[in-house]
Amino acid sequence: MLDGRAAETPEDLMRSRYTAFALGDARHLVDTWYPGTRPGDLTIDPDTEWMRLDIQGSDIAPDGRSGRVRFRASWREGAGGDLETMEEHSRFIRRAGRWYYVDAL
């Protein structure tokens, strides 16, 4: 997906967005964020080292136009920083055949 291919599912998009955070690819994050909820400025902290993504569940609505992904991501700030963890329930929407990240519940 970082190569411009459309994600097949919200989970695929979540995985590509995690990879984009890990690689510092702000362009991919902006391109896959729904325009109505996308921030005006996106800065990725180069000192954040993303360590792990665990998908805990995902689903797609019966009409195929929205989905959700529940995940846990781990990172550390700088070399030797403490391991931090976040959990999120992310919402996705499908428009013109492409999935977009909307927001977190």
Side-chain angles (χ1 to χ4, degrees):
M1 274 64 16
L2 295 177
D3 61 4
R5 289 181 298 127
E8 300 267 329
T9 66
E11 183 175 333
D12 290 341
L13 184 57
M14 184 67 247
R15 290 181 185 282
S16 76
R17 288 176 57 82
Y18 174 85
T19 300
F21 272 109
L23 297 175
D25 186 348
R27 172 57 39 208
H28 180 70
L29 295 168
V30 168
D31 289 348
T32 59
W33 208 315
Y34 187 67
T37 59
R38 180 187 313 149
D41 182 39
L42 178 65
T43 303
I44 298 174
D45 184 349
D47 291 331
T48 301
E49 181 182 6
W50 291 95
M51 307 298 291
R52 183 178 176 96
L53 174 68
D54 294 309
I55 302 293
Q56 298 174 319
S58 64
D59 61 58
I60 298 174
D63 66 7
R65 293 188 284 187
S66 64
R68 293 183 185 192
V69 176
R70 187 169 49 98
F71 70 91
R72 178 179 292 148
S74 302
W75 78 94
R76 89 172 98 222
E77 292 295 328
D82 291 336
L83 190 64
E84 305 281 340
T85 302
M86 67 173 277
E87 290 189 31
E88 184 174 300
H89 293 229
S90 298
R91 293 188 318 143
F92 295 83
I93 193 165
R94 190 171 187 177
R95 294 290 185 262
R98 296 187 78 88
W99 286 104
Y100 294 91
Y101 170 80
V102 176
D103 59 17
L105 300 174

